[in-house]
């Protein structure tokens, strides 16, 4: 029988200090990866998926992609960020796509579903803009797999009391 323990994050490095394998975390992370395959981003390793869960039930999903009615980078034939030479982790507003976390939160809102006290599973650590939306939406826990160079987002999660856990399949 597996002992459950609190997963703590080192906010300096983003490392999970006490990784614990949880079959539900694994299942929902698999769904986040499936949803990421729907992304319209043409940059390598930038296909992001997010799943919002309450009581082991999927409430909403999101992937990074252009807003409704806006052509994707694939349809335009170029990535604006690459064309302008914008580094990863900077000027996130300069992109046609909305982030996966944003799209999942908006999907729940459009459907009139509260996500208060929910868990968000994401293939990548949320950026600071997504962190602010996650905090204000009432999500209490974020589980991500791949890191992202945004220490300020980690700091905000910590201050707001939102649990940030790096997923590790062991």
């Amino acid at each position: 029988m597996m002992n459950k323990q609190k997963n703590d994050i080192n906010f300096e490095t983003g490392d999970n200090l006490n990784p614990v394998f949880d079959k539900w975390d694994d299942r929902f992370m698999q769904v986040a990866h499936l949803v990421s395959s729907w992304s319209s981003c043409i940059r390598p390793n930038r296909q992001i998926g997010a799943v919002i869960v309450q009581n082991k039930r999927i409430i909403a999903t999101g992937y990074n992609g252009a807003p409704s009615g806006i052509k994707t980078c694939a349809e335009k034939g170029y990535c604006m960020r690459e064309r302008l030479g914008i580094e990863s982790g900077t000027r996130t507003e300069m992109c046609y796509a909305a982030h996966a976390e944003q799209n999942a939160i908006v999907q729940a809102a459009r459907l009139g579903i509260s996500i208060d006290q929910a868990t968000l599973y994401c293939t990548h650590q949320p950026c600071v803009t997504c962190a602010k939306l996650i905090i204000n939406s009432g999500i209490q826990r974020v589980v991500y797999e791949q890191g992202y160079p945004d220490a300020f987002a980690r700091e905000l999660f910590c201050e707001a009391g939102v649990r940030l856990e790096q997923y590790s399949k062991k």
Side-chain angles (χ1 to χ4, degrees):
M1 185 170 170
M2 182 184 342
N3 283 337
K4 284 275 208 174
Q5 60 186 4
K6 182 178 180 225
N7 287 356
D8 295 314
I9 195 92
N10 177 328
F11 289 97
E12 295 290 320
T13 65
D15 294 332
N16 194 354
L17 301 176
N18 300 308
V20 175
F21 180 78
D22 179 282
K23 72 178 182 179
W24 289 102
D25 285 352
D26 185 57
R27 290 171 179 171
F28 294 127
M29 193 57 71
Q30 286 180 42
V31 174
H33 278 282
L34 173 64
V35 172
S36 76
S37 71
W38 306 336
S39 168
S40 60
C41 184
I42 60 175
R43 295 179 81 182
N45 196 33
R46 284 285 152 238
Q47 291 67 46
I48 318 295
V51 178
I52 299 175
V53 174
Q54 280 181 333
N55 301 317
K56 299 180 184 170
R57 302 284 188 272
I58 295 172
I59 302 301
T61 62
Y63 56 90
N64 56 326
S68 298
I70 305 296
K71 288 184 180 178
T72 67
C73 292
E75 293 169 324
K76 291 175 187 279
Y78 67 92
C79 170
M80 176 173 45
R81 294 181 61 79
E82 286 180 355
R83 187 175 271 184
L84 297 174
I86 299 171
E87 291 183 44
S88 182
T90 65
R91 300 189 62 205
T92 58
E93 75 281 2
M94 295 301 296
C95 180
Y96 290 111
H99 289 188
E101 305 92 324
Q102 296 166 4
N103 280 326
I105 290 168
V106 168
Q107 181 187 53
R110 285 188 68 166
L111 296 173
I113 300 170
S114 171
I115 54 176
D116 192 43
Q117 303 300 304
T119 296
L120 182 139
Y121 293 87
C122 195
T123 56
H124 294 66
Q125 178 202 311
C127 71
V128 69
T129 303
C130 289
K132 293 172 186 177
L133 292 170
I134 290 164
I135 291 164
N136 280 348
S137 71
I139 290 172
Q140 67 177 358
R141 178 175 175 243
V142 175
V143 179
Y144 70 94
E145 188 168 24
Q146 294 184 41
Y148 187 71
D150 196 333
F152 188 45
R154 292 190 298 270
E155 182 181 322
L156 291 180
F157 281 131
C158 182
E159 185 175 339
V162 174
R163 290 174 45 206
L164 181 65
E165 302 172 14
Q166 187 165 19
Y167 168 81
S168 177
K169 185 172 183 171
K170 291 199 171 202

